[in-house]
Amino acid sequence: MAVKTSACLAAALLTQTTAAADAFAVAGQPQKISVVQRGLRGAAASQESAAPAGSWASATAVAASVAVAAAVVPRRQRKAAKLAGASMVPNKNQRTIRDAKTIVCAGPRLPEGRKLRVAVIGGGPGGASCADALAKGGCETYLIERKLDNCKPCGGAIPMCMVGEFDLPTDLIDRKVRKMTMISPTNNEVQIGRTLKDDEYIGMVRREVLDNFLRERAAENGATLINGLFTQMRMPKSEKESYVLTYNDFGDAEGDARKGVKKTLEVDVVIGADGANSRVAKEIEAGDYEYAIAFQERMRIPEDKMEYYKERAEMYVGEDVSPDFYAWVFPKYDHVAVGTGTVVDKKGIQKYQQGIRERAAPRIEGGEIIRVEAHPIPEHPRPWRTKDRCTLIGDAAGYVTKCSGEGIYFAAKSGLMCASEIVAASENGTRQITQNDLMEYIRKFDSKYGPTYIVLDALQKLFYTSDAARESFVDLCELDYVQQVTFDSYLYKTVQGNSPIGDVMLLGKTVSSLVKYNTSKVPEMRQLA
């Protein structure tokens, strides 16, 4: 699933930082490690601090704290952070590791005529983007992907900036969404998108189309594409030894079409891009994380109803469609995707899918289900993402945002950032790399996007806990200020300057809205609706 206006209030706060976000800006300092793990891992301690459903006083306090934090960071510091490409500006009187003057020696030069060998396991947006950049950067690159004709269930939304940043042809985009209808538990509808410019949009893609394009481009640029299933990995015992990967090759015409041919591959570096159930993560003992189950049905609906979704997507919230997330109707090429997700009640996913079918019934009536998809979605980054010369990107690393569920852009971006560090450290594939080189990619990713994960996690705990909070959330999204900052932050993935006056007004509106809906009888309102 990709980010939608479920992050309406979140985006208004993403230009700011909290104390916890400091961990990402100065990653690498020993005293900050525990904070980093709490922020990205979603540790039990932070989960226990979440306000229980129905506790509107606690929810109001959280809202006030987050909104006040938004107001205390001077605009001058935010501007400096934007120019520097950092997620925040540390205290000017406090020295950080970035201030240290060190000399970093390159790894040993590889034998004449041999390039750095890198295997990327998984051919989604993250793996394919990583393999493409590695191949173009001079590395001997292997991309191993089993499901070349399949893809994971996904809302399929990408920010407009991704089209230019990853040089995507516009014909990959099925729909350009310029309108978002948010629907509350009592079926109160708020229209989002009136602040968009004429040339701005959210791109809707089919993952099978996008993933195939990215893989084929990587192959054209020199990556070796292997239709195979990665099964295990033998770890090197020294810096000079290689990783030995075992996989079942399904591209061998002489092999069993069901089992493939067992083969091995020796490489210097391994990139795990193999999703939430990553085998690479298990091999390096990266640790487990909480995950959601996403369930989605592709439906072909009558043409007159499809016209309604020409430039529109819908997001539904309510206990009947998800106890801790949201449900959606997103337009595709000639059909719509109808789905939902949940962490706290995975076994009840069919019940919530039935809930979204019923809520959206007037607009999808007569629809024919053409495809059913289900898949685990990570809820926070893994405890460890790098070991020796092996690292994780995309869903394997846990780069899906809370509250909004966005993963495509962050997967592709993490793959690109990882590849860039490898190419630079290896001097275009001529030198060996080390764990420190891969940790540099982790540090930069956390510094740039860590605050985003922290804020969205906090907002999910605030607004997805009860129907009263969800009503308040939809109510807040009516504000032009919230819509403006939401789309600016989402479409361009950059820190957008906001207004202190707007922050104060948002704080007041948040508190009053939470009080209003938590003192009303939302369940009764829903029955009347």
Side-chain angles (χ1 to χ4, degrees):
M1 290 164 282
V3 68
K4 285 295 164 296
T5 43
S6 60
C8 279
L9 181 59
L13 307 177
L14 290 182
T15 58
Q16 326 296 339
T17 54
T18 64
D22 182 50
F24 300 98
V26 290
Q29 295 187 42
Q31 66 271 26
K32 295 296 185 180
I33 291 177
S34 62
V35 182
V36 173
Q37 292 177 342
R38 286 198 300 272
L40 273 180
R41 291 171 57 186
S46 62
Q47 291 176 347
E48 291 172 0
S49 66
S55 177
W56 69 268
S58 297
T60 304
V62 173
S65 298
V66 176
V68 168
V72 300
V73 179
R75 292 174 59 82
R76 182 177 301 175
Q77 283 194 351
R78 295 201 301 272
K79 184 177 181 181
K82 181 177 179 181
L83 293 174
S87 55
M88 73 164 291
V89 178
N91 188 314
K92 64 180 180 180
N93 296 320
Q94 178 183 356
R95 292 185 61 80
T96 71
I97 282 181
R98 293 179 181 178
D99 300 319
K101 296 182 179 179
T102 59
I103 299 176
V104 180
C105 298
R109 187 170 293 279
L110 295 169
E112 187 69 26
R114 186 168 87 76
K115 290 288 190 177
L116 184 72
R117 301 165 300 179
V118 185
V120 181
I121 314 300
S129 298
C130 185
D132 184 39
L134 287 167
K136 289 191 293 187
C139 298
E140 183 179 324
T141 307
Y142 300 89
L143 178 59
I144 303 177
E145 168 61 47
R146 171 64 183 102
K147 298 180 179 180
L148 295 178
D149 59 345
N150 200 359
C151 67
K152 79 169 191 178
C154 176
I158 61 174
M160 191 173 70
C161 68
M162 186 174 177
V163 177
E165 186 175 351
F166 290 86
D167 195 23
L168 301 178
T170 55
D171 59 7
L172 286 181
I173 301 174
D174 291 336
R175 301 279 177 170
K176 294 183 178 181
V177 169
R178 295 183 172 89
K179 302 174 184 177
M180 168 69 73
T181 300
M182 298 190 63
I183 304 171
S184 77
T186 60
N187 286 325
N188 175 41
E189 296 187 5
V190 170
Q191 305 303 323
I192 311 294
R194 56 179 175 267
T195 62
L196 284 177
K197 299 176 183 177
D198 292 340
D199 60 345
E200 292 180 327
Y201 62 88
I202 296 173
M204 289 290 172
V205 299
R206 286 165 291 170
R207 281 289 302 275
E208 61 269 28
V209 177
L210 174 66
D211 293 10
N212 182 69
F213 168 80
L214 293 173
R215 286 193 294 263
E216 291 298 324
R217 184 168 67 180
E220 291 173 3
N221 287 324
T224 299
L225 181 57
I226 299 174
N227 180 10
L229 175 65
F230 168 74
T231 57
Q232 62 182 3
M233 174 171 65
R234 190 180 76 197
M235 309 288 285
K237 296 180 180 179
S238 70
E239 295 181 358
K240 296 182 180 180
E241 289 189 17
S242 303
Y243 288 86
V244 179
L245 309 182
T246 300
Y247 65 97
N248 295 331
D249 190 340
F250 293 93
D252 194 321
E254 298 178 0
D256 188 321
R258 292 171 300 176
K259 298 181 179 179
V261 177
K262 186 176 181 179
K263 293 184 178 181
T264 60
L265 176 68
E266 289 191 23
V267 295
D268 304 301
V269 182
V270 178
I271 310 298
D274 46 342
N277 292 324
S278 172
R279 294 193 181 191
V280 177
K282 291 181 175 65
E283 291 283 346
I284 66 173
E285 299 179 339
D288 295 326
Y289 50 25
E290 184 59 273
Y291 65 92
I293 289 294
F295 189 95
Q296 177 173 273
E297 294 170 324
R298 307 267 196 108
M299 290 187 183
R300 184 167 286 116
I301 60 178
E303 290 186 12
D304 60 324
K305 295 185 180 298
M306 194 67 203
E307 182 64 23
Y308 171 78
Y309 291 105
K310 183 177 181 179
E311 293 186 340
R312 182 188 305 274
E314 290 182 321
M315 186 186 104
Y316 293 77
V317 290
E319 197 72 30
D320 56 329
V321 297
S322 176
D324 58 329
F325 204 59
Y326 64 88
W328 63 89
V329 180
F330 292 162
K332 300 294 184 180
Y333 176 67
D334 58 356
H335 61 279
V336 293
V338 181
T340 185
T342 177
V343 175
V344 301
D345 188 13
K346 301 179 183 68
K347 294 182 179 179
I349 192 67
Q350 291 286 356
K351 173 178 63 178
Y352 302 121
Q353 182 65 17
Q354 180 60 33
I356 180 58
R357 286 196 212 103
E358 293 175 357
R359 290 277 295 278
R363 289 166 181 163
I364 62 174
E365 186 179 2
E368 173 191 2
I369 298 176
I370 58 178
R371 187 168 179 169
V372 178
E373 304 163 323
H375 200 77
I377 305 295
E379 278 291 286
H380 54 78
R382 292 185 186 272
W384 306 102
R385 288 165 280 161
T386 296
K387 181 179 181 181
D388 298 328
R389 285 172 277 130
C390 181
T391 194
L392 306 173
I393 62 174
D395 281 14
Y399 294 149
V400 176
T401 59
K402 295 288 273 301
C403 185
S404 61
E406 180 181 13
I408 296 178
Y409 177 83
F410 291 115
K413 187 65 175 181
S414 65
L416 184 61
M417 293 177 72
C418 179
S420 298
E421 291 302 320
I422 293 174
V423 170
S426 69
E427 296 182 6
N428 297 101
T430 62
R431 291 183 179 274
Q432 183 61 276
I433 69 165
T434 68
Q435 175 174 293
N436 288 337
D437 298 321
L438 295 176
M439 284 299 296
E440 182 67 7
Y441 134 67
I442 298 291
R443 185 192 68 78
K444 289 182 178 179
F445 187 90
D446 287 352
S447 178
K448 188 175 182 65
Y449 299 114
T452 300
Y453 287 85
I454 290 174
V455 172
L456 291 178
D457 179 62
L459 290 177
Q460 183 172 31
K461 290 180 172 65
L462 174 62
F463 288 110
Y464 288 178
T465 55
S466 68
D467 276 353
R470 295 180 186 105
E471 287 287 344
S472 175
F473 170 67
V474 174
D475 184 41
L476 288 170
C477 292
E478 181 73 49
L479 299 176
D480 282 354
Y481 178 64
V482 171
Q483 293 192 27
Q484 178 68 57
V485 181
T486 295
F487 280 108
D488 284 350
S489 299
Y490 173 67
L491 294 180
Y492 303 108
K493 287 295 179 287
T494 58
V495 176
Q496 301 296 318
N498 58 345
S499 164
I501 296 178
D503 291 339
V504 173
M505 293 177 63
L506 176 59
L507 170 60
K509 177 66 174 178
T510 301
V511 173
S512 64
S513 183
L514 284 169
V515 171
K516 171 185 175 182
Y517 287 105
N518 277 279
T519 55
S520 64
K521 297 181 179 180
V522 173
E524 295 180 7
M525 293 168 62
R526 177 192 288 170
Q527 292 177 0
L528 292 174

